[in-house]
Amino acid sequence: MVVWLIAACEVGFWVLLALGLAVRYLLKWRRTSVVLLLCEPMLELVLFVATAVDLKNGAEPGWEHGLAALYIGYTVAFGHYTIRWLDGHAAHRLGGAPPPPKPPRHGRARARHEAKLWLRAVCGAAVALALLQLAVWYVGDSGDVSSLRAFQWVAVRTVGLYGLIALSYTVWPRRAPAAAEAEGAVAPKEKEGARR
């Protein structure tokens, strides 16, 4: 039951998002679009309640309960970011607004962008870890909680992976093409000067 509910919440997320953006930019009904977009968090609440009821009714904790916690954590951390990103693109394509700014690609600006994504991953993992720990305490010694513990490690590893990516952009920042070409153009001149 929980697996189908996760799938239904994911489909519902995209359907509500598409409807909200279509109503906002095609029909120009801003208030209605806000109401539709505010229904998004209700999906996570329904999933949370259904997962808790499933465990309360004696269901053996399984991977589907862990996946539900990760899904809720991801949506809490990245849901608003995703909606804002798609809203910018819909405003550009359907509403005549200028194109939304792209994330920076080089230097410290890119490192800051990746660090912000890592902080979102930390937030999502914290939510997932809290929900999983609550489930472990709820089940107690009466059931096997190894699958819930395994998903806690999945959340921790995800944060570590995001952290490594953010760190790599900080330690080895990508150079802008113009800066790389300028360094390439300067280097031969320096070699010529050294030969003379």
Side-chain angles (χ1 to χ4, degrees):
M1 173 183 114
V2 175
V3 175
W4 291 107
L5 195 54
I6 294 170
C9 285
E10 180 66 13
V11 170
F13 175 86
W14 293 106
V15 167
L16 281 174
L17 183 56
L19 282 174
L21 294 176
V23 164
R24 175 175 290 183
Y25 294 108
L26 297 178
L27 300 177
K28 309 290 187 210
W29 295 348
R30 184 146 180 92
R31 286 186 183 179
T32 305
S33 74
V34 169
V35 170
L36 286 169
L37 294 175
L38 286 175
C39 289
E40 298 279 2
M42 298 302 293
L43 295 173
E44 280 65 51
L45 184 60
V46 167
L47 180 60
F48 174 73
V49 169
T51 304
V53 167
D54 193 41
L55 288 172
K56 184 181 180 195
N57 290 338
E60 191 69 25
W63 64 269
E64 61 275 8
H65 300 102
L67 183 62
L70 290 181
Y71 177 80
I72 292 170
Y74 174 84
T75 306
V76 166
F78 287 94
H80 184 261
Y81 176 79
T82 304
I83 291 170
R84 193 174 64 232
W85 181 80
L86 286 172
D87 185 41
H89 284 281
H92 170 59
R93 297 196 185 260
L94 303 174
K102 293 183 179 179
R105 297 185 64 168
H106 308 287
R108 291 181 189 259
R110 180 59 186 229
R112 278 192 298 275
H113 174 74
E114 293 297 330
K116 288 177 184 176
L117 291 179
W118 175 72
L119 289 174
R120 287 186 182 280
V122 169
C123 174
V127 170
L129 287 169
L131 291 175
L132 289 165
Q133 189 58 45
L134 287 172
V136 166
W137 289 335
Y138 183 75
V139 172
D141 297 332
S142 61
D144 179 21
V145 294
S146 60
S147 63
L148 300 176
R149 294 280 187 212
F151 272 91
Q152 285 180 320
W153 283 110
V154 169
V156 170
R157 284 194 302 266
T158 303
V159 168
L161 180 62
Y162 269 96
L164 287 174
I165 292 169
L167 184 63
S168 72
Y169 279 98
T170 303
V171 175
W172 300 289
R174 290 186 179 176
R175 296 183 182 162
E181 288 174 14
E183 282 184 14
V186 170
K189 290 181 182 176
E190 288 175 356
K191 287 179 184 175
E192 286 175 17
R195 287 178 191 166
R196 292 180 189 167

